[in-house]
Amino acid sequence: MSTNINANILKNFIIKSVGSELTAKEAQKLGIENEYKEAADELDVNMIDIDDILENNDLYEQFATLYVNDKEEKAKAKDEEQEKEEQMAIKDKNGAGV
């Protein structure tokens, strides 16, 4: 997965996802507990702040992947909703909706 995501965009995504610090519990919920543990051990901390997340290649890549997946899920949901609306418009046009 590419990590060519603007740091500011990724920072905003991280803040929306976990706030300004990443804990072990949050990392587990996101499925990135291994990367969290390695970074936390390296930094010798219990919580990793946002700047350290952005500086750690593994965590940066994991959040970039989460960001891309989130965007894809939102786009898919939007496409599905648009498809439903189009189908309803076709039904209404054909008089099947009445």
Side-chain angles (χ1 to χ4, degrees):
M1 178 68 52
S2 175
T3 58
N4 295 330
I5 296 173
N6 179 292
N8 287 328
I9 292 172
L10 192 58
K11 187 174 185 175
N12 288 335
F13 174 75
I14 294 168
I15 289 170
K16 288 178 184 175
S17 299
V18 299
S20 62
E21 295 181 325
L22 178 64
T23 64
K25 188 174 186 176
E26 291 163 335
Q28 185 178 20
K29 288 180 187 176
L30 295 170
I32 60 171
E33 58 270 10
N34 291 337
E35 293 81 0
Y36 169 84
K37 183 172 177 7
E38 289 175 17
D41 288 348
E42 184 179 308
L43 295 167
D44 194 28
V45 294
N46 291 329
M47 287 188 244
I48 303 173
D49 71 32
I50 195 160
D51 292 326
D52 288 331
I53 292 170
L54 294 173
E55 291 175 9
N56 182 287
N57 289 336
D58 292 335
L59 285 174
Y60 189 100
E61 184 175 332
Q62 289 301 315
F63 274 101
T65 301
L66 291 170
Y67 172 77
V68 169
N69 291 342
D70 184 63
K71 284 190 63 96
E72 288 173 353
E73 287 175 16
K74 287 179 180 176
K76 182 179 176 184
K78 184 177 179 181
D79 289 345
E80 288 173 354
E81 183 62 31
Q82 187 175 7
E83 178 69 25
K84 286 178 186 178
E85 289 175 7
E86 289 172 3
Q87 291 297 325
M88 292 300 291
I90 291 170
K91 284 181 182 180
D92 289 345
K93 187 175 183 179
N94 291 333
V98 177

